[in-house]
């Protein structure tokens, strides 16, 4: 799950979604707007280890760029 914040730029979120989660441009843009408008959105569904790895990588890239963007992983019920 990608969580909205008031600092991370929309362009950076789209870039991260494309780079780390391998989303096509249109899907990344749609998801970024959903996060912006709703406060959070599900990026995708993967096996737990893959989801954790991608979330950690995305969050590390955000921190390295000086953004507080946060990703969390929740189990599918």
């Amino acid at each position: 799950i990608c969580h909205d914040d008031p600092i991370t730029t929309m362009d950076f979120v789209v870039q991260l979604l494309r780079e780390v989660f391998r989303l096509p441009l249109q899907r990344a843009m749609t998801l970024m707007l959903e996060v912006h408008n709703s406060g959070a959105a599900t990026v995708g569904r993967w096996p737990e280890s893959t989801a954790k790895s991608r979330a950690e990588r995305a969050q590390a890239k955000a921190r390295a760029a000086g953004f507080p963007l946060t990703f969390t992983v929740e189990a599918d019920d």
Side-chain angles (χ1 to χ4, degrees):
I1 296 171
C2 181
H3 302 270
D4 190 35
D5 68 73
I7 298 168
T8 308
T9 64
M10 292 179 175
D11 287 341
F12 184 80
V13 175
V14 170
Q15 175 188 337
L16 204 57
L17 292 172
R18 296 191 71 211
E19 237 178 69
V20 177
F21 296 97
R22 302 183 184 133
L23 300 182
L25 177 59
Q26 190 58 47
R27 175 67 184 131
M29 290 174 58
T30 300
L31 185 61
M32 174 275 296
L33 288 173
E34 184 179 347
V35 170
H36 178 72
N37 292 322
S38 301
T42 299
V43 176
R45 298 187 190 312
W46 294 277
E48 185 177 7
S49 63
T50 301
K52 283 183 178 180
S53 174
R54 289 185 184 185
E56 288 169 2
R57 197 164 124 227
Q59 198 160 296
K61 283 182 170 275
R63 294 298 177 280
F67 293 120
L69 188 64
T70 302
F71 291 87
T72 57
V73 175
E74 293 183 5
D76 233 357
D77 290 333

